[in-house]
């Protein structure tokens, strides 16, 4: 974060000083990072006192100051130097961000954090910072990582770790930027209409990227049309001097051109795209290669990430890099070495015994599930060509937040497993959605033992340990809450990783 006095921060967030005098607050400067985990506090940092599932950050304020925090941002006095903001009504707390905020203290601290991030972002933009915002129903994190990779040759980049994309992670990431930062890449998610608009107001992007409109969180939004309108909040936030990068292969995204005052750059495999991929192929590990065409030039591109869906993500990253001054050859070189930076997202590893494990267990929705299964099918076919018949395993857990469409979508996934000729399906969980997935596979392929239902991640791991053979290919995928990432990591830890 840029250096700010405690007094100035209190002024920005509208807080009162506690356990620190006005003179000391004017003299004491926050020079470190903003943290909500007292164990991560750095000297001169700012500690956020937020409620959690098992503990309240207010109880760790003293420990944070002892670890070097200059001040605490809190909803009540904590016995150490603090900026106190009054609790908000409990109804103002966003479900899913702060689930344990009965008294509204967390909502108050988050609101203050947003005000601080907005002030810092405005100052940095005035000094030349470029802000890039990314949204979409799937692929946000992978694209954010690719954008960061292609921008690093151009200057210093700040991007969130993993999927830090909500009312906490978004301002936290903004406050990672300093006067040395050239590019700030922000991933934006939504659970309700208005969420993205609120995030964009904190750090208005000059470049906005919309990837797709799918069915993630359909249970919250009710329809794809409402999802599309919510995603369009990002391009509506861009001024006329900015750029909206839209995936023209998705009609709902392409239509957002009419909702922005910004200049529009279209990406995709369509002939209408300004930044286009043609002659797309996948190698034996499902890594795409294609010819990139933009601005009347073309260059061969080989991606280091896995799955054909990454082509669109790479095109969006390319368009951002071009807008920031990169040439096509420079972009191609960066993409060739840009592997997955965030955990449990199409992370493909090979064990010493030849078993290929695809850890894509951080998140799952119908669109990303289809992409993961298609990549698994490609990996299995390539393995067949190299060393004879090898089995493919889909170890799948529930896709959360699909509402009334949950049963139908899980049934479709089960049927898709059969259509892609995947050898085995391990359905993890015994609720109605997972029963629908198993039933879909059985009905589509007249399957018997090819589809197995297990109670939980431990049971899935036990089954795999007993039945995996050298050279098998395993995809592990589910919504993060299912905890299947531990299954993939355990499989890799048992036998050593070759690549």
């Amino acid at each position: 974060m840029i250096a700010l006095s405690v007094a100035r921060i209190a002024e920005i967030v509208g807080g009162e000083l506690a356990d620190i005098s006005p003179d000391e607050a004017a003299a004491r400067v926050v020079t470190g990072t903003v943290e909500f985990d007292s164990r991560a506090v750095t000297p001169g940092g700012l500690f956020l006192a937020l409620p959690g599932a098992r503990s309240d950050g207010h109880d760790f304020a003293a420990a944070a100051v002892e670890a070097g925090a200059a001040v605490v941002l809190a909803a009540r006095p904590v016995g150490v130097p603090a900026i106190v903001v009054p609790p908000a009504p409990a109804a103002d707390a966003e479900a899913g961000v702060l689930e344990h905020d009965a008294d509204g203290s967390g909502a108050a601290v988050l609101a203050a954090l947003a005000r601080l991030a907005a002030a810092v972002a405005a100052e940095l933009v005035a000094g030349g910072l470029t802000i890039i915002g990314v949204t979409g129903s799937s692929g946000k994190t992978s694209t954010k990582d690719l954008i960061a990779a292609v921008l690093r040759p151009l200057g210093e980049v700040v991007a969130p770790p993993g999927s830090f994309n909500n009312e906490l992670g978004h301002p936290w990431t903004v406050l990672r930027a300093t006067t040395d930062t050239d590019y700030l890449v922000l991933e934006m998610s939504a659970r309700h209409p208005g969420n993205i608009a609120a995030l964009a107001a904190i750090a208005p992007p000059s470049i906005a990227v919309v990837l797709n409109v799918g069915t993630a969180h359909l249970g919250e939004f009710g329809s794809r049309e409402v999802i599309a309108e919510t995603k369009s909040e990002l391009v509506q936030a861009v001024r006329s001097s900015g750029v909206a990068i839209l995936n023209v292969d998705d009609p709902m995204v392409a239509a957002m051109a009419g909702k922005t005052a910004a200049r529009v750059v279209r990406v995709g495999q369509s002939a209408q795209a300004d930044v286009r991929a043609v002659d797309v192929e996948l190698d034996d590990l499902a890594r795409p290669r294609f010819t990139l065409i933009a601005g009347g030039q073309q260059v061969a591109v080989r991606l280091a990430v896995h799955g054909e869906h990454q082509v669109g993500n790479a095109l969006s990253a390319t368009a951002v890099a071009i807008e920031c001054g990169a040439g096509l050859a420079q972009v191609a070189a960066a993409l060739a070495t840009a592997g997955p930076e965030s955990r449990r997202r199409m992370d493909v590893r090979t064990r010493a015994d030849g078993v290929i494990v695809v850890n894509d267990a951080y998140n799952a929705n119908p669109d990303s599930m289809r992409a993961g299964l298609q990549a698994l099918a490609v990996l299995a076919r390539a393995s067949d060509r190299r060393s004879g018949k090898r089995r493919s395993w889909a170890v799948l857990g529930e896709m959360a937040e699909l509402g009334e469409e949950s049963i139908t979508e899980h049934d479709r996934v089960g049927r898709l497993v059969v259509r892609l000729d995947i050898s085995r399906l391990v359905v993890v969980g015994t609720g109605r959605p997972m029963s629908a997935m198993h039933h879909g596979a059985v009905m589509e392929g007249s399957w018997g033992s090819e589809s197995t239902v297990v109670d939980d991640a431990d049971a899935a791991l036990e089954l795999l340990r007993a039945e995996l053979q050298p050279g098998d290919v395993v995809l592990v995928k589910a919504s993060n809450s299912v905890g299947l990432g531990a299954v993939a990591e355990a499989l890799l830890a048992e036998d050593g990783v070759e690549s």
Side-chain angles (χ1 to χ4, degrees):
M1 190 177 84
I2 62 175
L4 292 171
S5 70
V6 171
R8 176 61 180 139
I9 294 173
E11 180 184 356
I12 291 170
V13 304
E16 299 290 334
L17 298 174
D19 296 295
I20 183 172
S21 70
D23 288 345
E24 187 179 0
R28 184 176 297 194
V29 178
V30 173
T31 57
T33 59
V34 177
E35 304 293 351
F36 51 87
D37 184 339
S38 61
R39 296 166 296 184
V41 167
T42 58
L46 171 65
F47 176 64
L48 307 175
L50 292 169
R54 285 177 279 187
S55 59
D56 187 337
H58 290 81
D59 298 333
F60 295 89
V65 170
E66 185 177 347
V71 72
V72 177
L73 183 57
R76 60 178 181 269
V78 286
V80 293
I83 299 168
V84 178
V85 288
D92 290 349
E94 280 281 3
V97 177
L98 293 174
E99 298 177 354
H100 308 276
D101 189 23
D103 63 357
S105 61
V109 173
L110 279 186
L113 180 67
R115 290 192 289 272
L116 178 60
V120 168
E123 183 169 334
L124 291 175
V125 167
L129 176 70
T130 298
I131 298 177
I132 300 101
V134 183
T135 195
S137 293
S138 61
K140 294 185 294 296
T141 300
S142 297
T143 304
K144 172 264 300 180
D145 289 343
L146 290 175
I147 291 172
V150 297
L151 291 180
R152 285 192 185 104
L154 305 179
E156 182 175 304
V157 179
V158 168
S163 291
F164 241 42
N165 56 22
N166 60 19
E167 288 82 351
L168 172 58
H170 181 79
W172 180 90
T173 303
V174 171
L175 292 171
R176 248 48 189 176
T178 70
T179 54
D180 293 327
T181 306
D182 298 293
Y183 304 100
L184 174 60
V185 185
L186 299 170
E187 176 184 340
M188 302 185 188
S189 70
R191 295 170 315 284
H192 310 291
N195 284 159
I196 291 175
L199 295 179
I202 293 172
S206 58
I207 302 176
V209 178
V210 184
L211 302 171
N212 47 53
V213 175
T215 52
H217 308 295
L218 189 59
E220 295 286 347
F221 288 95
S223 71
R224 289 187 70 218
E225 288 72 22
V226 176
I227 294 173
E229 184 59 34
T230 302
K231 299 301 181 188
S232 76
E233 292 170 8
L234 181 58
V235 298
Q236 293 179 57
V238 182
R239 295 178 179 176
S240 58
S241 58
V243 180
I245 296 171
L246 304 178
N247 173 18
V248 74
D249 293 337
D250 185 323
M252 284 189 160
V253 176
M256 294 179 193
K259 293 181 176 290
T260 182
R263 177 168 54 87
V264 173
V265 174
R266 295 169 174 82
V267 303
Q269 298 185 46
S270 165
Q272 284 72 48
D274 303 302
V275 178
R276 184 184 178 199
V278 299
D279 302 326
V280 176
E281 298 178 349
L282 301 179
D283 71 7
D284 287 353
L285 289 178
R287 292 172 299 201
R289 53 180 178 250
F290 56 90
T291 298
L292 170 64
I293 301 173
Q297 302 178 25
Q298 64 181 49
V299 66
V301 173
R302 291 175 178 265
L303 300 183
V305 289
H306 306 264
E308 187 171 358
H309 61 289
Q310 297 283 10
V311 173
N313 299 341
L315 291 175
S316 293
T318 298
V320 171
I322 291 172
E323 291 299 324
C324 294
L328 289 195
Q330 187 177 27
V331 172
L335 290 174
T337 59
E341 295 186 16
S342 300
R343 295 180 64 218
R344 299 177 177 177
R345 291 169 178 82
M346 286 305 292
D347 188 2
V348 180
R349 306 292 180 95
T350 303
R351 298 196 325 185
D353 62 356
V355 169
I356 298 174
V357 179
V358 184
N359 188 351
D360 197 25
Y362 185 83
N363 204 359
N365 57 61
D367 305 296
S368 66
M369 190 70 85
R370 283 189 286 272
L373 290 170
Q374 288 163 355
L376 172 62
V378 170
L379 285 166
R381 287 196 298 270
S383 299
D384 288 350
R385 292 194 298 271
R386 289 199 304 267
S387 55
K389 184 65 178 175
R390 300 173 74 175
R391 298 181 304 172
S392 52
W393 294 72
V395 183
L396 308 180
E398 184 173 357
M399 302 176 289
E401 300 180 358
L402 294 180
E404 295 179 357
E405 295 298 314
S406 181
I407 301 302
T408 299
E409 293 293 351
H410 283 84
D411 174 87
R412 287 174 177 164
V413 167
R415 294 176 186 274
L416 180 61
V417 169
V418 176
R419 292 171 189 166
L420 292 173
D421 197 27
I422 291 166
S423 308
R424 294 288 303 274
L425 170 63
V426 180
V427 176
V428 184
T430 55
R432 288 185 63 211
M434 305 317 295
S435 296
M437 184 184 291
H438 172 67
H439 181 266
V442 170
M443 295 302 294
E444 184 71 21
S446 299
W447 272 13
S449 60
E450 294 93 341
S451 181
T452 305
V453 180
V454 298
D455 289 342
D456 52 28
D458 289 340
L461 182 58
E462 183 179 355
L463 172 65
L464 292 167
R465 283 170 170 162
E467 298 192 24
L468 272 184
Q469 298 175 4
D472 284 357
V473 187
V474 185
L475 168 69
V476 182
K477 187 164 181 62
S479 287
N480 193 40
S481 58
V482 180
L484 286 193
V487 173
E489 289 160 4
L491 289 175
L492 291 170
E494 288 171 359
D495 203 7
V497 177
E498 186 178 89
S499 63

